[in-house]
Amino acid sequence: MKEKKSSYSAEIVATMRAIESLRPENERLFYDPFARYLVSNHLKMVLSHKLLINGLLWFIKTKGPGFPDGIVVRTRYIDDLLQERIESGIEQCVILGAGFDARALRIPSVKSIKVFEIDHPATQEFKQEKLKKIVTRQDMNHITFVPVNFNTETIAARLPEAGFDPGLKTFFIWEGVTFYLTADAVDETLKFVVKNSGADSSVYFDYMFQCVLDGRCQKPESKRIRQSRSFVSNGSEAYTFGIEEGTINHYLTQLGFSTIVEMTGRQLKNRYFSNSNSKRTVHEIFGYVHARKI
């Protein structure tokens, strides 16, 4: 990401959430009324015309089959995990690489806990400017914005000074971020989660399979995504990190996690898309993990 430019990938994710929210109530997986206001003007224009929406979806699917619906089921899965964690008594939620995520505003129960949103300064500044136009400061009293560049700074240095309490039961959300980072940055962040949270704290994150990065994966979506801008050496948001499929339990146990639950794209599709949505497709080149600290 360029230092003074907000995240392009975060805007695309927000756009997918906005499109899902336009579906009939009996078909959509969630409703995010904020997403359409958190994107650039050209994407906001796309959202106003059905033909342009269909064109955008077609374009994204040609670059990465299953990506639009993959983003949607991932959003719903994390929403459900967050609700479960709130019901279990968490006192804090940390959203790592928050992008244009609006969970802290659109899910009513989240207002009962303290939320820390961490992201690149440029993306966070863009988001806050947009939010000022649609919500009041009082609506965001439970949210603390913490600017961090994951590849040059650590949350260990920034989060405590923002009021984060390492002794409280906490849920960490790390959605759609790890594959843009270095292996060291991923390891250090997960170690921070283990060392700086109370009993029964947990983390959600997703990751790309290593075979996609090195070209061994033969799935259509893998071949297409390797041709995309994110694999170009000078791309602003290039894919850089993956974990070998089938090794997540060993990887996380070594870092201090237990009760590790991993979902596949197919499992998420089967869970959330009914027969009426059977034509919707989800990519199968990522793992979706929820793990508690030991």
Side-chain angles (χ1 to χ4, degrees):
M1 178 191 300
K2 296 178 181 179
E3 288 301 313
K4 296 184 179 181
K5 187 175 182 180
S6 64
S7 169
Y8 173 78
S9 62
E11 285 203 63
I12 291 299
V13 170
T15 303
M16 295 304 101
R17 289 173 177 157
I19 292 173
E20 182 69 14
S21 300
L22 292 173
R23 291 179 178 274
E25 187 174 356
N26 64 333
E27 292 182 16
R28 64 188 182 219
L29 296 189
F30 55 83
Y31 181 58
D32 185 346
F34 302 96
R36 68 181 295 113
Y37 298 104
L38 295 175
V39 298
S40 299
N41 288 335
H42 70 285
L43 286 172
K44 194 178 296 184
M45 181 185 69
V46 169
L47 292 169
S48 300
H49 302 276
K50 188 173 182 179
L51 286 177
L52 293 179
I53 289 174
N54 291 338
L56 176 63
L57 291 175
W58 174 85
F59 176 76
I60 294 175
K61 288 176 182 178
T62 61
K63 297 295 183 180
F67 267 71
D69 291 331
I71 289 170
V72 167
V73 294
R74 182 180 74 185
T75 296
R76 173 59 185 272
Y77 181 51
I78 300 170
D79 285 356
D80 288 348
L81 286 175
L82 176 56
Q83 185 60 47
E84 290 172 9
R85 294 270 67 199
I86 290 174
E87 292 172 1
S88 76
I90 61 166
E91 299 166 272
Q92 298 176 139
C93 178
V94 178
I95 306 178
L96 302 163
F100 302 130
D101 180 353
R103 287 187 179 90
L105 294 170
R106 64 181 175 83
I107 301 178
S109 57
V110 178
K111 293 185 178 181
S112 66
I113 61 175
K114 193 165 182 72
V115 177
F116 297 89
E117 290 202 8
I118 300 176
D119 210 340
H120 190 280
T123 297
Q124 201 163 82
E125 182 180 355
F126 181 90
K127 179 179 184 178
Q128 289 186 74
E129 286 301 313
K130 293 286 187 178
L131 285 175
K132 287 177 183 177
K133 300 176 182 179
I134 56 176
V135 298
T136 67
R137 179 59 256 185
Q138 187 175 357
D139 293 326
M140 298 190 288
N141 279 344
H142 60 300
I143 306 172
T144 299
F145 295 97
V146 186
V148 176
N149 184 330
F150 281 103
N151 279 326
T152 60
E153 301 176 289
T154 66
I155 59 173
R158 301 303 308 277
L159 195 51
E161 65 187 29
F164 172 79
D165 187 337
L168 298 182
K169 181 176 177 178
T170 308
F171 182 40
F172 294 81
I173 298 174
W174 210 10
E175 178 184 11
V177 178
T178 65
F179 23 90
Y180 299 116
L181 304 180
T182 65
D184 286 344
V186 173
D187 285 356
E188 287 305 310
T189 299
L190 291 172
K191 289 175 182 177
F192 175 87
V193 170
V194 171
K195 296 177 181 177
N196 296 273
S197 58
D200 195 33
S201 293
S202 65
V203 61
Y204 163 87
F205 72 97
D206 38 71
Y207 68 94
M208 181 176 284
F209 296 146
Q210 179 61 37
C211 64
V212 179
L213 286 175
D214 59 31
R216 287 178 290 124
C217 181
Q218 296 302 305
K219 290 184 172 66
E221 59 264 44
S222 175
K223 294 178 180 180
R224 292 280 184 85
I225 199 173
R226 285 186 58 79
Q227 299 170 359
S228 73
R229 65 189 293 274
S230 295
F231 271 95
V232 177
S233 60
N234 64 351
S236 61
E237 292 181 281
Y239 296 128
T240 54
F241 174 80
I243 299 174
E244 199 69 49
E245 188 174 4
T247 67
I248 193 66
N249 278 34
H250 175 73
Y251 173 69
L252 289 177
T253 300
Q254 295 294 105
L255 291 174
F257 290 95
S258 65
T259 319
I260 300 161
V261 177
E262 179 178 28
M263 298 288 287
T264 65
R266 180 169 298 182
Q267 287 173 318
L268 290 179
K269 177 185 176 181
N270 292 339
R271 173 180 290 195
Y272 292 112
F273 289 144
S274 64
N275 291 335
S276 62
N277 285 317
S278 59
K279 292 184 179 180
R280 302 183 71 172
T281 59
V282 176
H283 45 46
E284 298 182 22
I285 57 176
F286 295 94
Y288 308 86
V289 187
H290 182 225
R292 287 176 167 83
K293 59 180 287 187
I294 293 174

